[in-house]
Amino acid sequence: MSDLFTQAVFIAMVASGVRLAVPLLIASLGEMFGQRSGVLNLGVDGIMLLGAFSGYYAVLRSGSVWYGLAFGTIIGLLLGIVSAVIAVTLKAEQGISGIGVYLFGLGMSDLLFQKLVGTPVPISSFPKVQLPLLSEIPLLGGMLFRHSLVVYLAFVAVPVSMWVLNRTTFGLNIRAVGQNPESADSLGVSVARVRYATVIIGGTLAGTAGAALAIDLGIFQQNLTNAAGFIAIALVYFGAWRPLGVMAGALLYGLVNAVVLQMKTLGIIPLAWSDIAAMVPAIITILALVVVAQRFRPPAALTKPFLRGT
Amino acid sequence: MGYLVPVAAVVAALLIGAVILLRLEADPVDALGVMMRGAFGSSNALMNTAIKATPLLFVGIGITIAFRANVINIGGEGQMVSGALLATTTALVIPELPAIVVLPTVLLAGIIGGAIWGAIPGALKAYYGVNEILSTIMLNVVAVQLMNFLLRGPLIDPAEIERGTRIPQTERLIDSADLPHLLGKLHIGPLVAVLFAVGAYLLMWRTPIGYRIRAVGLSQDAARYAGIEVRRTIVLAMTLSGAMAGLAGAVLVFGSESHRMVTDGSTAGFTGSAGFNGIVAALFGGLHALWTIPASFLFGGLLVGGLAMQRAVQVPSALILALNGLVVVFVVSSDRLRRRLLARDYTGRRAAPPSTNDPPGETSPAEAEANER
């Protein structure tokens, strides 16, 4: 057991936990905007998968990780628009239509991968950027400040999301539309326009998250996300619809996964027991869902399509 | 007119499939022909289709029950796994008895395993206001890890340890737990599934239990006013829904050609995504157990035909999964249109906008919670 607690191993483990949290954090922040405006987009995992494949494929073709990240993001944007049409304009049942988007993304990303790539070819990953001075801090420097640009941006997105939600007119409109669309509508806020914006933000960030995941791992395979998109949705509840809570949930998942990986590499536990360890975040999430359901109210209009005059 | 909307959804999905095939430089007409022949063109093909349709039908039956209660059970994958695990464990410990004793016992174990995995999110929703979509998703994650743990650890075939290959699978299960075969490779699974579909139809539309489940789905307030135990009914609907998925998992194990439970580390590796595709079949069947029978057969055929297409024209069968997703999107997106058309069919005039409480409706946990208090 002592291997787990040498300082170098510990720092590396926390650092990898922070890194593993990033795709969840990006996707979850995006989903949070949709939910705050009253739209539960269950298709996140499907969008992440297509974003992941697109990002991977673009890196494979261009050699540039930033090109890949951008391409995955654009695919996410397009799928966000489609999701918004389904949820807002067509007013489809949100709990189910997202499953359709998920199945489409799962099948389509696999199909495209098999047809366009075939055998998995590794790609280059994001370059590490050591932040001057900060990365020299003992312990913390190695854990937090020797990551790629994507990691820093994802964590910067947390205060930015807080500011947008709580300090801007757009954020006020999002919250109004999610709590009481009728009142917002009567005050001249376009419910449809706000929800389009939030669902598109969610889709775009899901695409970014997928591409970030694939490029970070440097590989694509069938079902690469392994339900990460669904976990991202649960983390929005876990975090009680607040950016800081969402970040805490993403870090919990990232760190537990890092510990499991570390234990596997060091051979501390037999392989079978690592499966039990991997269950822990899901069980914590279920317990957190119970606590959150007791203490916090979800946006009142969540999953309810807006019909004028009803 | 209204009844044609789901059919139009499939046609639209197939058209998009044709466009994708063209982009992949495959001939869509050719591919469709191969698919149809592969799925329905011979007795062998029909048997494959019936076998593939079986888990879809079991899961679909469960979905018609849960969705009618306005509970969105998307935990079919996890419930299949938990049912299969309990059934497999039972088959591993049960002594060699006549099949007439063993088979019902192990299938019942599958039902119980799935029922437990359904009852948990049901109770969390009914008594704690936890959104069932999220809890069922998380329980899918727990189930897959539990499967990997058990099949790599306690339940692994001792021969795998001896050989050092460590393939995560059980030993060959006892013969008396094999599903009897009706004809060639066709086992009794499809027949059992159809019987359960009829049973579910009778339960939902001819018994007080079904009436209560549907009443809760239509309006919790009205149901409560009528003296129905809303919370208990929600738990019951989820338990029944999970039980059907659990049976699907058990039938997958005992009807498999290897007669073992095997994992590749993912849920889809075991279930073939039947936990999700069963939702597609149930929606296509209008959340009606009897209509879900032909719907499952159709989607089972698409899956079998997809494999034939993969072999013949080198288009990955993942295309079928993508098209199933489109069918779901189209069916639920056109739901309002369909209801309007149906209402017009009955009354001959334009109907009022549909109420938001129609099944499968949209009750947020907050609302459910508020209703409870």
Side-chain angles (χ1 to χ4, degrees):
Chain A
M1 280 307 271
S2 63
D3 282 0
L4 194 59
F5 296 108
T6 67
Q7 194 174 327
V9 169
F10 185 70
I11 291 176
M13 201 167 68
V14 175
S16 98
V18 170
R19 219 186 77 227
L20 292 172
V22 163
L24 284 173
L25 178 59
I26 300 173
S28 207
L29 283 175
E31 172 73 12
M32 183 196 67
F33 279 97
Q35 291 198 15
R36 284 301 283 263
S37 76
V39 182
L40 175 70
N41 182 2
L42 265 191
V44 178
D45 204 48
I47 300 178
M48 278 182 78
L49 280 165
L50 282 167
F53 173 74
S54 313
Y56 169 79
Y57 189 61
V59 176
L60 201 60
R61 279 313 190 72
S62 69
S64 155
V65 289
W66 305 113
Y67 210 79
L69 193 68
F71 192 54
T73 305
I74 291 168
I75 293 297
L77 172 83
L78 294 175
L79 289 164
I81 295 172
V82 173
S83 305
V85 171
I86 296 168
V88 183
T89 305
L90 298 173
K91 299 178 172 38
E93 166 66 34
Q94 292 165 14
I96 312 168
S97 64
I99 295 298
V101 175
Y102 163 64
L103 291 177
F104 176 74
L106 180 63
M108 204 62 200
S109 59
D110 186 21
L111 172 74
L112 290 171
F113 176 68
Q114 288 190 41
K115 273 316 257 193
L116 298 177
V117 185
T119 48
V121 186
I123 53 170
S124 51
S125 189
F126 296 111
K128 296 261 182 288
V129 180
Q130 303 211 354
L131 294 186
L133 296 178
L134 288 174
S135 62
E136 301 305 320
I137 304 173
L139 287 173
L140 281 183
M143 292 173 186
L144 304 178
F145 301 113
R146 289 176 199 167
H147 285 290
S148 70
L149 203 54
V150 179
V151 175
Y152 303 129
L153 287 177
F155 283 93
V156 168
V158 175
V160 171
S161 304
M162 289 166 70
W163 178 75
V164 170
L165 265 182
N166 300 318
R167 295 272 180 273
T168 65
T169 316
F170 177 54
L172 181 66
N173 286 345
I174 292 174
R175 287 179 289 139
V177 162
Q179 280 299 338
N180 196 335
E182 289 78 15
S183 308
D185 182 59
S186 71
L187 292 172
V189 177
S190 165
V191 175
R193 200 174 300 164
V194 171
R195 288 187 173 172
Y196 256 83
T198 57
V199 175
I200 292 171
I201 291 173
T204 308
L205 289 181
T208 314
L213 177 69
I215 299 169
D216 184 44
L217 296 173
I219 203 74
F220 185 85
Q221 62 184 39
Q222 188 234 1
N223 193 17
L224 178 83
T225 57
N226 204 6
F230 287 112
I231 291 165
I233 298 164
L235 287 181
V236 179
Y237 279 74
F238 182 103
W241 299 271
R242 287 155 176 79
L244 280 178
V246 165
M247 183 179 81
L251 281 172
L252 170 73
Y253 262 87
L255 289 171
V256 173
N257 284 339
V259 171
V260 171
L261 279 176
Q262 190 72 51
M263 287 174 139
K264 269 189 197 174
T265 351
L266 297 179
I268 289 175
I269 42 175
L271 194 57
W273 286 96
S274 68
D275 295 316
I276 292 288
M279 232 183 253
V280 171
I283 292 171
I284 293 176
T285 306
I286 294 172
L287 296 176
L289 289 175
V290 176
V291 174
V292 167
Q294 302 307 302
R295 294 208 172 165
F296 298 93
R297 286 292 153 103
L302 189 58
T303 76
K304 292 197 195 85
F306 177 63
L307 297 158
R308 236 200 195 128
T310 53
Chain B
M1 279 299 290
Y3 290 111
L4 291 178
V5 169
V7 179
V10 171
V11 172
L14 285 176
L15 282 177
I16 293 185
V19 174
I20 295 171
L21 284 170
L22 281 175
R23 297 286 302 152
L24 296 174
E25 284 156 5
D27 180 357
V29 181
D30 206 25
L32 189 68
V34 170
M35 263 182 67
M36 287 302 150
R37 258 174 285 134
F40 309 110
S42 64
S43 62
N44 189 41
L46 285 170
M47 279 193 248
N48 282 334
T49 295
I51 290 170
K52 200 78 181 172
T54 304
L56 303 187
L57 181 51
F58 278 124
V59 173
I61 294 167
I63 294 299
T64 65
I65 298 171
F67 279 24
R68 285 279 174 194
N70 206 350
V71 184
I72 301 178
N73 175 18
I74 53 178
E77 296 274 292
Q79 291 147 13
M80 282 179 75
V81 168
S82 66
L85 284 173
L86 196 59
T88 303
T89 312
T90 310
L92 284 170
V93 297
I94 201 169
E96 192 65 78
L97 293 166
I100 194 82
V101 183
V102 171
L103 203 55
T105 310
V106 293
L107 291 180
L108 185 66
I111 290 178
I112 293 171
I116 294 170
W117 230 245
I120 297 169
L124 289 178
K125 178 186 173 69
Y127 295 96
Y128 296 97
V130 175
N131 183 319
E132 74 281 12
I133 298 175
L134 298 166
S135 55
T136 49
I137 289 169
M138 297 327 295
L139 282 169
N140 286 349
V141 177
V142 176
V144 67
Q145 301 297 355
L146 190 63
M147 168 174 74
N148 292 340
F149 166 69
L150 289 174
L151 294 187
R152 279 179 192 157
L155 298 186
I156 196 171
D157 184 357
E160 290 294 335
I161 298 179
E162 255 167 58
R163 279 200 299 270
T165 39
R166 289 198 153 267
I167 297 169
Q169 61 180 23
T170 62
E171 60 189 45
R172 196 213 181 281
L173 300 170
I174 50 173
D175 293 340
S176 47
D178 295 353
L179 291 183
H181 285 237
L182 297 169
L183 179 72
K185 65 170 84 163
L186 184 67
H187 55 66
I188 59 164
L191 188 66
V192 177
V194 169
L195 290 177
F196 269 90
V198 175
Y201 162 75
L202 294 174
L203 176 82
M204 287 302 288
W205 300 93
R206 294 283 182 271
T207 69
I209 294 174
Y211 172 78
R212 277 182 225 135
I213 290 175
R214 287 182 291 124
V216 167
L218 285 168
S219 166
Q220 293 198 357
D221 288 337
R224 188 172 300 107
Y225 189 70
I228 295 171
E229 283 267 10
V230 172
R231 296 179 183 203
R232 213 177 286 167
T233 309
I234 287 175
V235 178
L236 176 70
M238 269 304 288
T239 307
L240 290 174
S241 192
M244 287 297 97
L247 187 51
V251 165
L252 265 186
V253 173
F254 302 124
S256 68
E257 274 166 33
S258 65
H259 298 288
R260 319 163 180 261
M261 187 167 177
V262 191
T263 175
D264 70 347
S266 69
T267 29
F270 171 71
T271 64
S273 293
F276 287 119
N277 285 330
I279 300 177
V280 188
L283 283 177
F284 190 72
L287 294 183
H288 199 293
L290 293 181
W291 281 110
T292 305
I293 301 171
S296 302
F297 198 71
L298 173 71
F299 285 100
L302 281 180
L303 294 171
V304 172
L307 291 173
M309 180 186 72
Q310 178 166 324
R311 284 190 298 269
V313 292
Q314 278 78 49
V315 173
S317 61
L319 175 66
I320 302 301
L321 198 58
L323 296 187
N324 275 356
L326 289 180
V327 171
V328 175
V329 169
F330 292 154
V331 168
V332 292
S333 297
S334 56
D335 201 34
R336 266 150 218 279
L337 173 71
R338 183 181 61 86
R339 277 192 224 147
R340 207 162 289 178
L341 288 172
L342 277 179
R344 199 188 291 175
D345 289 347
Y346 292 135
T347 60
R349 63 189 161 77
R350 234 186 115 83
S355 124
T356 42
N357 269 334
D358 285 355
E362 33 252 51
T363 316
S364 69
E367 193 183 60
E369 211 181 319
N371 288 343
E372 297 295 334
R373 286 176 183 165

